[in-house]
């Protein structure tokens, strides 16, 4: 019996010669970097450590570009952003124990945001595994267990021959919808030992398509076509799947108003006549969505932020398209369609009947007017002015990365991202310190555009070390630090809940002088000068810091009366 693909598996004479005569001086680390290059990786992030030195030595013999950060968690945030911007799996090289564990918060954010990160960690020598010798530096009793609850998949290696397949399997996992972080573990001795394995030249790790079941999209299309008041919630899955154009076509065909979640910022044009923008943390918007007789949710699990803190109670039928099976119908009963957003929206486009609705645009305009009245009644001129200054200063095609800070909470609702995949924040897991190192990763991914990072002074202190990274690689990142003297949002939460705040006030450095000590230009600005100072900093190549001393307040989700 013969197979049609037999000839494809037969190596050429040149391949046979190369395989039988591998170059000398290679180790297990070379097999790692060769596999990454064979998969299409061009850039790796990380931080060296004792057990991982075999991988880092191998980088010297490869064409991979290495970007070294100063803290493993920040390296993880940078890899996360690189993955979001490029759509590729971003390799993250880590050492054993403390080095690996320090990346966990970043990997949690990548998992929550469906960002493809390929973390490769060293492990103690194989002699110490499985109840062998103990007392190794960095040793954990069960290192993979520390990652299983955080990443999408865990892959362990115990021999050099396992390296290409394990990394390829992890790569495929990271890039199969829903995208996410994955983790590979390789012992120190496997990385260091000389290898006679042939050079890894090409590896197949094509991600699988997640196609919707046609009987489900047929039912969904029927519901949407017959709806009287359809509406759409567009989440981060629309952005990850590059489905924004398809979603716009569907919304226009159905005459369905669209609201975007914090993770879905830019998935629908901000000023489109059917755009409800992003005011999900608003009671008027919640009421509007509850009143829809058919609500299409694309690429969102309707979690805490996207459901106005779980106050959302839809009265109509919900159709939910979600690539993450665990999020399907996890918060609301729905016609659940387990699929990648692009494929599912395309299927609906081909199946729905075009609707006529003369009231849709008027209802959208009326809602946005009520939202504006609510905000205007709360005396938040400073906050609105600061956000508008940032928007005017930032080039329309530049990405921005926002830490967990009051201005970011404003941006989730009120900032026009100008396009999909351009506004990113740490709202998935909600950890501090995301903005600046993530912006560095984005600048590595695309050095042709300036990148904006936004932090509060509390979050900024998590990332100060990376000013050295920004300077070392001359990355085009402008870092806006809003300095309100502490953890501003926690101060506000505690004051509202308890009458006064505790543990929220911070002694902090002179951020301008600190930036300049790294060789990074810094400027102290004011709300009035912010737009010009920020625009000037963004226009200059290389890193820069703009410090805005200001105490901002959050808006209330309902009219205070």
């Amino acid at each position: 019996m013969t197979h049609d693909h037999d000839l494809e598996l037969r190596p050429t004479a040149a391949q046979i010669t190369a395989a039988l005569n591998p170059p000398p001086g290679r180790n297990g680390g070379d097999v790692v970097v060769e596999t990454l290059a064979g998969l299409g990786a061009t850039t790796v992030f990380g931080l060296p450590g004792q057990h991982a030195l075999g991988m880092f030595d191998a980088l010297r013999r490869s064409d991979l570009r290495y970007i070294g950060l100063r803290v493993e968690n920040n390296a993880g945030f940078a890899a996360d952003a690189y993955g979001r911007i490029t759509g590729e799996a971003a390799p993250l090289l880590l050492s054993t124990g403390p080095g690996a564990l320090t990346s966990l918060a970043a990997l949690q954010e990548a998992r929550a945001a469906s960002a493809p990160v390929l973390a490769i960690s060293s492990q103690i020598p194989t002699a110490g595994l499985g109840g062998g010798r103990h007392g190794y530096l960095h040793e954990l009793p069960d290192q993979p267990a520390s990652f299983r609850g955080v990443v999408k998949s865990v892959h362990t290696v115990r021999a050099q021959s396992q390296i290409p397949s394990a990394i390829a399997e992890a790569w495929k996992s990271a890039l199969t919808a829903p995208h996410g972080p994955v983790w590979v573990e390789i012992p120190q001795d496997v990385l260091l030992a000389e290898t006679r394995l042939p050079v890894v030249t090409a590896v197949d790790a094509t991600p699988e398509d997640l196609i919707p079941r046609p009987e489900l999209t047929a039912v969904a299309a029927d519901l949407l076509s017959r709806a009287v008041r359809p509406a759409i919630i567009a989440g981060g899955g629309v952005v990850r799947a590059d489905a924004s154009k398809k979603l716009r076509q569907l919304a226009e065909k159905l005459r369905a108003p669209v609201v975007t979640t914090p993770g879905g910022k830019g998935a629908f044009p901000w000023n489109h006549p059917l755009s409800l923008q992003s005011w999900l943390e608003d009671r008027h918007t919640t009421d509007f969505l509850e009143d829809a007789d058919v609500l299409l949710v694309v690429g969102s699990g309707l979690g805490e932020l996207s459901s106005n803190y779980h106050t959302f109670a839809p009265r109509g039928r919900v159709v939910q398209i979600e690539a993450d099976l665990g999020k399907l119908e996890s918060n609301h009963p729905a016609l659940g369609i387990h699929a990648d957003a692009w494929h599912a929206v395309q299927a609906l486009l081909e199946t729905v009947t075009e609707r006529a609705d003369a009231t849709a645009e008027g209802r959208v305009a009326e809602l946005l007017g009520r939202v504006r009245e609510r905000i205007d009644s709360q005396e938040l001129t400073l906050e609105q002015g600061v956000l508008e200054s940032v928007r005017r200063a930032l080039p329309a095609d530049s990405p921005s990365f926002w830490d967990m800070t009051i201005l970011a909470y404003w941006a989730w609702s009120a900032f026009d991202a100008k396009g999909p995949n351009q506004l990113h924040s740490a709202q998935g897991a909600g950890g501090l310190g995301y903005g600046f190192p993530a912006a560095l990763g984005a600048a590595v991914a695309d050095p042709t555009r300036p990148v904006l990072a936004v932090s509060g002074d509390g979050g900024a202190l998590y990332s100060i070390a990376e000013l050295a990274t920004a300077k070392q690689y001359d990355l085009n990142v402008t870092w806006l630090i809003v300095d309100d003297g502490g953890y501003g949002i926690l101060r506000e939460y505690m004051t509202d809940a308890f009458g006064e705040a505790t543990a929220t006030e911070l002694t902090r450095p002179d951020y301008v002088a600190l930036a300049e000590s790294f060789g990074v230009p810094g400027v102290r600005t004011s709300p009035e000068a912010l737009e010009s100072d920020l625009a000037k900093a963004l226009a200059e190549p290389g890193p820069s810091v703009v410090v805005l001393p200001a105490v901002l307040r959050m808006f209330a989700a309902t009219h205070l009366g």
Side-chain angles (χ1 to χ4, degrees), residues 55 92 94-97 100 119-123 143 183-187:
M55 283 192 292
L92 171 65
L94 303 166
S95 192
T96 319
I120 304 177
S121 166
S122 58
Q123 172 60 295
Q143 187 172 254
W183 188 74
V184 180
E185 174 189 273
I186 310 175

Side-chain angles (χ1 to χ4, degrees), residues 70 436 440 463-472 479 511 514-516 518 520 543-545:
R70 301 307 194 268
F436 185 53
L440 299 181
S463 312
I464 285 296
E466 305 311 335
L467 283 168
T469 302
K471 178 64 177 178
Q472 180 170 343
W479 190 8
Y511 286 104
L514 186 58
E516 291 172 344
F518 283 91
V520 173
S544 56
V545 171

Side-chain angles (χ1 to χ4, degrees), residues 152-451:
K152 186 179 174 187
S153 58
V154 167
H155 310 259
T156 55
V157 167
R158 295 295 179 259
Q160 289 179 345
S161 60
Q162 299 173 6
I163 291 173
S165 293
I167 292 178
E169 185 182 359
W171 181 280
K172 181 177 180 179
S173 174
L175 290 174
T176 295
H179 293 177
V182 295
W183 188 74
V184 180
E185 174 189 273
I186 310 175
Q188 178 189 29
D189 54 320
V190 176
L191 291 170
L192 289 175
E194 185 178 354
T195 186
R196 293 296 295 166
L197 289 172
V199 173
V200 182
T201 54
V203 188
D204 181 20
T206 306
E208 298 173 5
D209 285 333
L210 189 55
I211 308 294
R213 286 165 42 203
E215 71 272 20
L216 295 177
T217 53
V219 174
D222 180 65
L223 287 169
L224 290 163
S225 299
R226 292 188 294 106
V228 177
R229 295 177 310 283
I232 298 173
I233 297 178
V238 177
V239 176
R240 295 280 82 77
D242 196 20
S244 300
K245 290 180 180 177
K246 295 287 182 187
L247 182 78
R248 177 177 179 170
Q249 293 171 14
L250 181 64
E252 290 174 346
K253 195 170 183 178
L254 292 171
R255 308 301 297 156
V258 180
V259 67
T260 56
T261 71
K265 293 288 292 187
F268 195 74
W270 188 256
N271 291 315
H272 191 285
L274 292 171
S275 175
L276 298 169
Q277 300 180 354
S278 301
W279 292 97
L280 280 170
E281 197 173 334
D282 174 276
R283 192 61 231 175
H284 298 314
T285 303
T286 304
D287 292 342
F288 186 100
L289 295 172
E290 287 178 348
D291 188 51
D293 59 338
V294 180
L295 180 68
L296 176 63
V297 182
V298 187
S300 171
L302 294 180
E304 185 176 24
L305 296 179
S306 303
S307 62
N308 202 353
Y309 300 91
H310 295 300
T311 63
F312 174 56
R315 293 189 293 273
R317 287 293 301 273
V318 177
V319 176
Q320 184 185 16
I321 295 166
E322 177 56 58
D324 188 335
L325 189 61
K327 293 179 180 177
L328 199 64
E329 292 194 72
S330 62
N331 288 311
H332 296 280
L335 173 65
I337 302 176
H338 183 218
D340 174 78
W342 192 96
H343 293 291
V345 173
Q346 176 62 29
L348 291 177
L349 258 179
E350 295 172 359
T351 318
V352 296
T353 303
E354 191 165 352
R355 285 182 70 255
D357 188 342
T359 69
E361 293 180 10
R363 289 187 291 118
V364 168
E366 180 185 1
L367 172 66
L368 293 179
R370 295 174 74 184
V371 172
R372 275 192 297 274
E373 288 176 11
R374 178 180 64 81
I375 295 296
D376 290 346
S377 72
Q378 295 180 37
E379 299 181 2
L380 296 163
T381 306
L382 170 64
E383 290 76 5
Q384 294 183 81
V386 167
L387 197 65
E388 289 164 2
S389 294
V390 173
R391 180 62 278 175
R392 288 193 297 266
L394 183 66
D397 64 345
S398 280
S400 57
F401 291 81
W402 302 67
D403 217 329
M404 296 296 283
T405 186
I406 287 177
L407 194 60
Y409 300 171
W410 268 92
W412 293 344
S413 293
F415 196 79
D416 177 5
K418 300 289 186 186
N421 210 29
Q422 291 195 176
L423 186 149
H424 304 270
S425 70
Q427 98 285 336
L432 278 177
Y434 173 81
F436 185 53
L440 299 181
V444 171
D446 182 1
T448 66
R449 301 178 293 174
V451 182

Side-chain angles (χ1 to χ4, degrees), residues 7-32:
L7 291 176
E8 299 171 17
L9 299 178
R10 191 173 299 144
T12 65
Q15 287 173 323
I16 292 172
T17 300
L20 295 176
N21 298 278
R26 293 164 61 245
N27 62 19
D30 287 275
V31 181
V32 172

